[in-house]
Amino acid sequence: MTTLPTPNYLGGYPAELQAQARDLIAQGVLAERLQRRYGAPHGVRTDGALYDYTTALKSRYLRNAAPLAKVVFDNRLHVIANALGTHTAVARVQGNKLKAKREIRIAGIFRSVPEAFLRMIVVHELAHLKERAHDRAFYALCTHMEPDYHQFELDLRLALMQAEASGQPLWPAVAEKSTASAVAVPLVRPG
């Protein structure tokens, strides 16, 4: 039986930054620094609360974007598959028209992280309503909705590295189920 390779959470970042992250983990200080910086997990626990949270952000920044039919936590999305969230358009034929319903699925690990990380992934998936590709326009939209987007993404990746190294998440998991499934779309760093 072969084991899956360890995800390279900082693959697109400079080698010096990757080395610094490994040193902080080896010294045992990264977890404490991240916990101190970001504090306790958010209070968005249910799919309904996540839908409300997401639509509030959408209403503020993307009023003219297509409406969202569903926003859910998805325990099947997993970091190992390089998917932290997905944005899909489910097309259905209704009479002689083709209707597309937009859905956002957020990995279950985001139930128990600080609000900054939840906001980062929701902003990322909302940006896909306007920009399909991970290009300059996409990341400009992300930073318009969340000015600290890139810092939150980096710190989330550091938290995932720490959790992988220690075998323990930095914030305890919340025991709630989600019944959704999705196709993985990777979260990538801008080029």
Side-chain angles (χ1 to χ4, degrees):
M1 180 176 179
T2 61
T3 58
L4 293 173
T6 303
N8 186 0
Y9 299 110
L10 298 179
Y13 290 85
E16 302 82 38
L17 182 74
Q18 293 180 40
Q20 185 179 12
R22 285 190 299 274
D23 290 345
L24 290 172
I25 291 171
Q27 295 168 13
V29 297
L30 181 60
E32 188 250 320
R33 286 184 184 180
L34 289 170
Q35 288 169 332
R36 192 171 1 128
R37 178 180 293 164
Y38 291 103
H42 60 77
V44 179
R45 298 285 185 250
T46 65
D47 289 344
L50 179 62
Y51 180 85
D52 292 343
Y53 179 86
T54 304
T55 55
L57 282 171
K58 181 188 171 297
S59 295
R60 182 169 180 194
Y61 295 105
L62 300 171
R63 282 186 281 264
N64 296 328
L68 294 169
K70 184 189 285 188
V71 181
V72 295
F73 286 110
D74 188 342
N75 290 332
R76 293 180 221 176
L77 288 179
H78 198 278
V79 181
I80 299 299
N82 200 24
L84 300 176
T86 64
H87 165 261
T88 58
V90 179
R92 291 184 179 92
V93 176
Q94 293 181 348
N96 62 350
K97 295 183 179 177
L98 183 64
K99 300 268 183 162
K101 291 189 175 187
R102 307 235 182 247
E103 298 180 358
I104 291 177
R105 298 175 189 276
I106 304 296
I109 63 167
F110 285 96
R111 282 186 199 265
S112 59
V113 297
E115 195 271 337
F117 297 152
L118 177 65
R119 184 176 174 96
M120 184 274 307
I121 193 65
V122 168
V123 161
H124 182 98
E125 297 309 325
L126 282 173
H128 281 303
L129 293 175
K130 292 277 192 184
E131 302 291 337
R132 303 279 300 162
H134 294 111
D135 57 13
R136 186 172 293 210
F138 174 85
Y139 287 105
L141 183 55
C142 287
T143 56
H144 168 71
M145 290 188 278
E146 175 49 62
D148 293 326
Y149 174 85
H150 293 296
Q151 184 64 53
F152 294 159
E153 182 183 0
L154 172 62
D155 288 345
L156 173 65
R157 289 172 181 275
L158 292 170
L160 294 171
M161 277 182 69
Q162 173 64 45
E164 181 90 16
S166 69
Q168 297 291 321
L170 293 180
W171 295 274
V174 176
E176 301 217 18
K177 285 179 26 177
S178 173
T179 58
S181 65
V183 176
V185 175
L187 173 68
V188 295
R189 183 177 178 277

